Amino acid sequence: MILNSFFPTLETKRLKLRQFELSDKKRLREIANSREIAEGTFIPYPYKDEFAVDFIESQFRDYKSGNLVNFAVVIDNQDLLIGSMGISIDNKLNEGEIGFWIGVDYWGNGYCTEAARSVLHYGFTERKLDKIIAFHFKDNIASSKVLQKIGMELEGIKRNEFWHMGELKDTVHYVIYKTDYDKLWQNI
Ligand SMILES: CC(C)(COP(=O)(O)OP(=O)(O)OC[C@H]1O[C@@H](n2cnc3c(N)ncnc32)[C@H](O)[C@@H]1OP(=O)(O)O)[C@@H](O)C(=O)NCCC(=O)NCCS
């Protein structure tokens, strides 16, 4: 089922970032149902069947509201769903915030970095944002590497920002401004 025919599709060398479809629900549950993913995000674990449907349906509403574009990340030549990469948009401040996860079996292949670069590009060139931010829990080395690799700069650490999985966690915040992005990524 096509939820929104206007939803953007982004292509990278190995990946396609497209809208989630209801037919993704089984695969989404398979890859999202992981303690490792829950540890770095606010995705629930265990991940029940109904979460997948609610999540996919909420993407349509969120896109329509103009506040969130959440892409399904698929390996392009197989349309194999491997994760999610979203950008929420604060229209008043004209800034975006990216968030992502990749199924554990696919970690360490550069997929997240590749997808995050294309969403940054989308945010600055298509949505004409002035600034994009992101944060991760302090112990999340992979996320910090992704954010640095796409050119984001460390902005600061917030101590004890969230209770998460029974722990009070610090968060690490990153930012990139359009002016700096233009200098860094002119050629992608
Ligand atoms: C963060 C995450 C999306 C990274 O996905 P990925 O596709 O493996 O990322 P990449 O392959 O692009 O790797 C980026 C860097 O992180 C490193 N990395 C990947 N997994 C790692 C791990 N478990 N521990 C330490 N470093 C790791 C990679 O080696 C790479 O660094 P390098 O280029 O210096 O070798 C993935 O680990 C994940 O889904 N984690 C759980 C959910 C989460 O934390 N989401 C982020 C919320 S802010």
Side-chain angles (χ1 to χ4, degrees):
M1 179 189 170
I2 303 292
L3 293 173
N4 190 325
S5 53
F6 298 106
F7 198 94
T9 298
L10 312 180
E11 308 243 5
T12 70
K13 205 167 155 204
R14 297 174 295 171
L15 305 171
K16 186 185 278 181
L17 279 66
R18 59 155 173 81
Q19 89 177 305
F20 277 95
E21 292 159 10
L22 283 173
S23 54
D24 291 321
K25 76 172 181 213
K26 186 166 170 275
R27 172 71 183 162
L28 174 60
R29 184 176 181 273
E30 263 167 35
I31 55 171
N33 186 32
S34 142
R35 192 173 175 88
E36 288 97 321
I37 290 175
E39 276 167 359
T41 62
F42 294 102
I43 292 172
Y45 177 75
Y47 194 92
K48 297 182 184 150
D49 282 345
E50 58 265 31
F51 294 156
V53 178
D54 287 352
F55 171 78
I56 293 168
E57 287 180 350
S58 72
Q59 303 315 297
F60 174 59
R61 290 192 298 276
D62 289 336
Y63 179 68
K64 226 172 138 192
S65 76
N67 298 324
L68 176 69
V69 189
N70 210 16
F71 295 95
V73 179
V74 304
I75 295 181
D76 196 13
N77 56 6
Q78 306 157 52
D79 198 46
L80 179 69
L81 181 65
I82 60 163
S84 170
M85 170 74 55
I87 179 162
S88 58
I89 293 172
D90 184 327
N91 289 299
K92 228 173 180 179
L93 296 175
N94 201 35
E95 69 179 47
E97 175 169 355
I98 57 170
F100 43 74
W101 59 268
I102 295 287
V104 177
D105 290 349
Y106 302 90
W107 286 8
N109 293 300
Y111 287 135
C112 186
T113 306
E114 193 169 317
R117 273 196 184 121
S118 74
V119 168
L120 220 56
H121 186 69
Y122 168 77
F124 284 130
T125 59
E126 299 294 318
R127 306 299 295 240
K128 313 270 186 241
L129 299 173
D130 295 323
K131 169 184 178 183
I132 295 179
I133 58 174
F135 80 86
H136 62 78
F137 295 129
K138 199 175 163 190
D139 55 0
N140 193 337
I141 308 290
S143 273
S144 75
K145 283 194 172 176
V146 169
L147 298 174
Q148 287 168 34
K149 283 166 78 120
I150 64 172
M152 298 186 81
E153 283 180 16
L154 179 66
E155 203 173 28
I157 295 178
K158 285 191 188 168
R159 291 173 61 192
N160 297 344
E161 200 187 3
F162 291 107
W163 273 103
H164 181 254
M165 296 184 90
E167 269 180 71
L168 196 50
K169 290 193 178 167
D170 298 346
T171 53
V172 184
H173 295 254
Y174 281 82
V175 66
I176 183 165
Y177 291 89
K178 171 83 166 77
T179 42
D180 296 331
Y181 174 82
D182 287 343
K183 285 182 213 146
L184 273 175
W185 301 111
Q186 271 161 3
N187 298 321
I188 65 166

